[in-house]
Amino acid sequence: MTVGSRISKSNVNPLEPSAVKMEPRSEYGFAKISTRKDDVYYEGIVDANGEAIVPLSSRLLVNDITGKLALIQFERKFLFVPLDGGSYSQDDLENVNGFQYAEPHQCGLAKVCVNDSWFYINANYQKAFDADFEFAESFHQNRALVMSDGKHRIIGTDGSTVAELNYDQVSPQSEWCWQVINKVDGKYKSGFVDLDGKQITDLIFDNVGYYDPEVKRIRIYKDERFGFVDEHAKTVISLKYEYARPFDRGTARVTVDGRTFLIDPNGNEVPE
């Protein structure tokens, strides 16, 4: 499911440097390029010498370049493209089956989807272990959340089960924790578990927001008060605000005792 055929440079469409934008180069000099012409957007990839590896095309998007490997979306399929194997034409990309969906390799494994079934492939593009999932997330810290037969569990990079999560719902949060939810006395209550599935907090929160990687905070809500926890689900700003907006560009607007002001990620008041 990779692209590997080589074509001659003469088959690559020439670039117009003045019209092309280039993103920062990778460690091996590869870079995503893009341009727009008559309201049509084009993307491609060049090597360290500015030669086209993947020619500019309106039919593809460059999702990621890591090392000597690119992940691109070509029309409705996802392809892993080795960038040290020569140049590729649109015909080369057209003739590869690809994946229904894919994300870049993390911890040596990439999450992919074929026929609505999720699994992982290794650096050789082979299935990493004999397991398919109804849901899977990319690995982080050598752990991933997956679901099969309607049950969530945490697995290691060898596919072994680290922990079974017996909750009504499980949601990814930071790379260090997951949010877990159970129905308690007719109401859904949230808590957090760590990378090994051990409970960090009891299921006490009425609402939990999304993890913000910029400030490493998650908004929490309990007993009509808002606060924030960090990427490890440890409380850093106690549940004391009558209202709190999510962080935006480093600050959050909060209300307490009828007064509204801005705070930083540590809960310190900052000027408007």
Side-chain angles (χ1 to χ4, degrees), residues 183-214:
K183 197 170 187 178
V184 179
D185 296 330
K187 296 181 179 180
Y188 286 103
K189 295 288 185 176
S190 293
F192 297 92
V193 297
D194 66 14
L195 296 180
D196 294 326
K198 296 178 181 177
Q199 201 161 306
I200 303 172
T201 69
D202 292 334
L203 276 66
I204 57 174
F205 302 114
D206 300 311
N207 186 271
V208 171
Y210 295 107
Y211 174 67
D212 183 340
E214 181 183 356

Side-chain angles (χ1 to χ4, degrees), residues 252-271:
R253 187 170 296 278
V254 298
T255 300
V256 64
D257 296 331
R259 191 169 73 91
T260 299
F261 52 95
L262 295 177
I263 60 171
D264 67 15
N266 294 315
N268 300 312
E269 184 173 351
V270 295

Side-chain angles (χ1 to χ4, degrees), residues 185-256:
D185 296 330
K187 296 181 179 180
Y188 286 103
K189 295 288 185 176
S190 293
F192 297 92
V193 297
D194 66 14
L195 296 180
D196 294 326
K198 296 178 181 177
Q199 201 161 306
I200 303 172
T201 69
D202 292 334
L203 276 66
I204 57 174
F205 302 114
D206 300 311
N207 186 271
V208 171
Y210 295 107
Y211 174 67
D212 183 340
E214 181 183 356
V215 295
K216 298 182 179 180
R217 296 292 181 265
I218 305 169
R219 186 178 61 167
I220 52 175
Y221 178 71
K222 175 181 179 288
D223 297 334
E224 300 184 352
R225 287 292 184 269
F226 291 86
F228 293 87
V229 297
D230 65 12
E231 69 270 36
H232 299 278
K234 301 297 184 182
T235 300
V236 289
I237 303 175
S238 62
L239 289 153
K240 60 183 178 181
Y241 301 113
E242 297 157 15
Y243 185 71
R245 293 184 62 83
F247 276 91
D248 179 22
R249 289 175 287 186
T251 62
R253 187 170 296 278
V254 298
T255 300
V256 64

Side-chain angles (χ1 to χ4, degrees), residues 9-231:
K9 296 293 183 181
S10 61
N11 289 333
V12 179
N13 296 331
L15 304 177
E16 300 175 11
S18 62
V20 175
K21 295 181 180 179
M22 181 182 298
E23 293 194 356
R25 293 185 179 276
S26 70
E27 58 182 315
Y28 294 102
F30 300 108
K32 170 184 169 180
I33 55 174
S34 62
T35 191
R36 186 180 295 275
K37 184 178 180 181
D38 298 330
D39 294 327
V40 180
Y41 184 69
Y42 302 80
E43 289 191 3
I45 302 173
V46 295
D47 64 15
N49 298 317
E51 297 285 343
I53 300 298
V54 177
L56 283 166
S57 172
S58 61
R59 301 170 64 190
L60 66 86
L61 295 173
V62 179
N63 289 1
D64 179 75
I65 299 176
T66 300
K68 299 179 180 180
L69 185 69
L71 173 60
I72 69 171
Q73 184 177 354
F74 184 76
E75 296 184 334
R76 299 182 66 181
K77 61 185 178 183
F78 289 75
L79 306 172
F80 290 96
V81 181
L83 299 178
D84 57 350
S87 303
Y88 304 98
S89 69
Q90 291 195 47
D91 286 342
D92 291 321
L93 305 178
E94 181 102 48
N95 294 326
V96 178
N97 290 330
F99 297 100
Q100 181 181 345
Y101 181 79
E103 290 186 358
H105 285 76
Q106 299 286 343
C107 304
L109 300 174
K111 177 183 78 170
V112 299
C113 182
V114 175
N115 297 325
D116 297 324
S117 182
W118 299 88
F119 57 95
Y120 297 92
I121 60 172
N122 57 28
N124 296 319
Y125 318 110
Q126 303 298 315
K127 196 170 184 179
F129 37 83
D130 188 21
D132 293 338
F133 306 102
E134 299 160 24
F135 163 86
E137 66 169 356
S138 290
F139 273 88
H140 53 275
Q141 307 297 333
N142 295 320
R143 296 287 188 269
L145 175 67
V146 299
M147 183 177 72
S148 54
D149 298 324
K151 299 292 185 180
H152 286 93
R153 56 191 172 100
I154 300 169
I155 62 172
T157 52
D158 61 354
S160 62
T161 298
V162 175
E164 294 184 355
L165 300 176
N166 297 314
Y167 300 94
D168 295 334
Q169 300 175 37
V170 183
S171 302
Q173 281 286 353
S174 80
E175 65 175 11
W176 298 100
C177 68
W178 287 280
Q179 176 188 351
V180 293
I181 302 173
N182 270 345
K183 197 170 187 178
V184 179
D185 296 330
K187 296 181 179 180
Y188 286 103
K189 295 288 185 176
S190 293
F192 297 92
V193 297
D194 66 14
L195 296 180
D196 294 326
K198 296 178 181 177
Q199 201 161 306
I200 303 172
T201 69
D202 292 334
L203 276 66
I204 57 174
F205 302 114
D206 300 311
N207 186 271
V208 171
Y210 295 107
Y211 174 67
D212 183 340
E214 181 183 356
V215 295
K216 298 182 179 180
R217 296 292 181 265
I218 305 169
R219 186 178 61 167
I220 52 175
Y221 178 71
K222 175 181 179 288
D223 297 334
E224 300 184 352
R225 287 292 184 269
F226 291 86
F228 293 87
V229 297
D230 65 12
E231 69 270 36

